[in-house]
Amino acid sequence: MMSGSDNSKLTTCYADLHVHIGRTNAGNPVKISGSRNLTFGNIAKEAEERKGISLVGIIDCHSPGVQRDIAEYLQSGEMKELQQGGIAYGGTTILLGCELEIREPGLGPAHLLVFFPDFAAMKSFTAWLEKHMKNVNLSSQRVYSSARNLQQEVYSRGGMLIPAHIFTPHRSIYGSCSPRMADVLDLELISAVELGLSADSEMAGLISELDRYTILTNSDAHSLGKIGREYNELSIAAPNYREFEKALKREEGRGIVANYGLNPRLGKYHRTFCAGCSYIIDEADIAVERCPYCGSAKLVRGVLDRIRSIADREDPAVPAYRPPYRYQVPLEFIPGLGPAKFAALLQAFGTEMNILHRVSEDDLARVIGSELAAQIGAAREGRLALKSGGGGTYGKVAKD
Ligand SMILES: [Zn+2]
Ligand SMILES: [Zn+2]
């Protein structure tokens, strides 16, 4: 029918909006802890060819060295700017983003993600940042500006702001900055929030000011292999900035259909951990001030424990619009799935998203055998048994 609603054109795509750049093509460092081959071009290629991620947010596009690389890809025609925002590379669209650190007087640091619709807006933002940052070439740097002023600078350029990994113990709005976002940020100028590892949307339901915000789950990848370790399934008409914006606002049928992430228990900072003796403090002891094992006061607060201490609800209330958060054990965590078998799967099925979502267990079994295929099946359905992580160590798939 000619007059059919726009919704008939919606398709499913996978998005990871938090991927760092390690180096520029000229070899200059951007995220110092990121891998050397984590360049703008390689991220686009990895997302498009191996991961099957059609919307990838590259966080570090504010760096002038990265912008020189982007300009070259646009000039050569290898990539092109989309009218609706974003930069296309084959079937994948890159959203131009940046991660910043704010520090309000008397409070701890918090990371924020910002995105801009086009290259010109990002460059204009860099011109502002240069005056409010010590080294604009590097990733995740502190901005010397109030958080609310920063929000104005972002939205006045048509951008959006998304608090990053909101519960992680270091450098996040709830983990190290403030028990309420409203104390620091203008709640009107926030487009979504990003959960970090070690938290899920149910845990977010313990804080009522989060009810209005769409939740994103992203990888925060510092290497090519980690892209898509956590990701979002979107229902949009095409991968571009405007459609992404509509999805976050849940407009015209667009939205996030599912969040895929680690079971929080696998996250590095799920439980409180003692830096003195490496003891992970038990579920029952959340209020402890000192390690019950060695007496040290050097406790790293776990995400779950932190959320419980700042919650304004006893029981989580998850808004009806919120999509399911699907626990997914990344393929790299599956015991026995080494590089050779993984390569065979990619050879047979193209992309990781195909392996995770589109290929039947029987077809997987034909390539890697039924035992491993069953493990992947269990991982997809969140049925693998896990041991909790804490203090910077990932949890593990429990072997019985
Ligand atoms: Zn961060
Ligand atoms: Zn990051």
Side-chain angles (χ1 to χ4, degrees):
M1 261 187 299
M2 295 298 292
S3 60
S5 82
D6 227 6
N7 294 1
S8 59
K9 296 188 220 121
L10 298 182
T11 58
T12 291
C13 80
Y14 299 101
D16 178 358
L17 290 319
H18 190 152
V19 177
H20 283 284
I21 287 186
R23 299 289 184 277
T24 64
N25 286 347
N28 296 317
V30 180
K31 179 105 192 164
I32 308 216
S33 57
S35 346
R36 298 195 71 85
N37 64 353
L38 198 61
T39 61
F40 191 88
N42 283 346
I43 294 167
K45 214 170 141 67
E46 176 80 9
E48 139 91 355
E49 292 170 14
R50 277 169 56 101
K51 300 290 177 179
I53 298 275
S54 31
L55 200 59
V56 59
I58 301 188
I59 296 307
D60 288 332
C61 294
H62 66 289
S63 169
V66 172
Q67 292 177 359
R68 279 192 285 279
D69 295 346
I70 298 172
E72 269 174 38
Y73 291 120
L74 293 175
Q75 252 152 37
S76 72
E78 204 176 328
M79 298 188 188
K80 82 173 209 283
E81 277 216 83
L82 297 172
Q83 193 105 58
Q84 300 290 303
I87 291 180
Y89 171 78
T92 286
T93 300
I94 298 147
L95 297 184
L96 301 174
C98 164
E99 183 169 27
L100 299 163
E101 182 171 308
I102 53 159
R103 203 183 266 249
E104 298 289 279
L107 298 176
H111 279 184
L112 305 172
L113 304 178
V114 302
F115 292 97
F116 292 98
D118 53 50
F119 195 27
M122 180 53 93
K123 286 191 283 193
S124 150
F125 184 64
T126 295
W128 177 81
L129 270 187
E130 265 165 348
K131 290 178 257 152
H132 298 85
M133 194 176 265
K134 284 184 181 156
N135 187 346
V136 81
N137 294 296
L138 298 179
S139 175
S140 313
Q141 297 294 292
R142 178 165 171 199
V143 183
Y144 293 84
S145 154
S146 76
R148 284 186 171 82
N149 183 44
L150 168 67
Q151 288 179 291
Q152 291 295 340
E153 293 292 333
V154 170
Y155 283 82
S156 67
R157 289 174 173 82
M160 59 171 85
L161 181 136
I162 299 171
H165 44 77
I166 55 173
F167 295 118
T168 50
H170 308 292
R171 301 183 161 81
S172 81
I173 191 84
Y174 292 117
S176 58
C177 181
S178 173
R180 293 291 166 264
M181 288 202 298
D183 295 342
V184 179
L185 295 164
D186 177 351
L187 295 184
E188 300 304 316
L189 301 182
I190 294 174
S191 294
V193 295
E194 179 194 66
L195 283 181
L197 298 176
S198 314
D200 63 15
S201 28
E202 168 122 351
M203 288 156 74
L206 287 165
I207 298 178
S208 59
E209 69 176 352
L210 289 173
D211 288 352
R212 58 197 282 198
Y213 300 112
T214 293
I215 284 179
L216 293 172
T217 42
N218 300 315
S219 70
D220 201 350
H222 292 40
S223 67
L224 289 172
K226 295 277 193 285
I227 297 172
R229 178 182 54 183
E230 307 223 330
Y231 55 94
N232 311 274
E233 183 177 342
L234 269 55
S235 181
I236 50 180
N240 62 50
Y241 188 90
R242 293 289 162 231
E243 285 290 321
F244 177 59
E245 203 171 41
K246 282 182 192 172
L248 297 185
K249 290 183 183 160
R250 310 183 290 276
E251 282 178 0
E252 299 172 42
R254 274 77 169 164
I256 311 288
V257 181
N259 294 108
Y260 288 90
L262 283 174
N263 184 311
R265 296 182 62 193
L266 268 182
K268 289 197 279 190
Y269 299 108
H270 187 54
R271 300 316 315 271
T272 296
F273 164 90
C274 173
C277 72
S278 306
Y279 181 81
I280 290 178
I281 289 148
D282 207 82
E283 312 258 338
D285 302 325
I286 58 163
V288 296
E289 298 289 319
R290 285 182 174 276
C291 173
Y293 189 72
C294 77
S296 167
K298 285 186 286 181
L299 299 186
V300 180
R301 273 283 213 167
V303 170
L304 177 61
D305 309 295
R306 171 70 179 166
I307 294 176
R308 283 183 186 156
S309 74
I310 63 173
D312 61 352
R313 288 190 179 125
E314 291 275 312
D315 296 305
V318 179
Y321 73 78
R322 198 153 276 165
Y325 181 101
R326 296 201 200 285
Y327 297 143
Q328 198 167 62
V329 176
L331 293 171
E332 63 183 301
F333 278 61
I334 293 177
L337 185 66
K341 292 210 162 102
F342 193 34
L345 283 175
L346 283 174
Q347 176 77 28
F349 305 115
T351 66
E352 283 186 28
M353 288 303 126
N354 286 345
I355 296 166
L356 287 167
H357 294 285
R358 300 187 183 105
V359 179
S360 73
E361 213 174 293
D362 285 349
D363 288 340
L364 292 174
R366 271 189 275 280
V367 178
I368 51 166
S370 55
E371 207 174 307
L372 264 182
Q375 291 262 53
I376 293 180
R380 299 208 267 214
E381 290 159 27
R383 286 188 284 107
L384 283 185
L386 306 170
K387 290 189 193 139
S388 294
T393 304
Y394 287 107
K396 287 193 179 67
V397 172
K399 280 179 245 175
D400 39 25

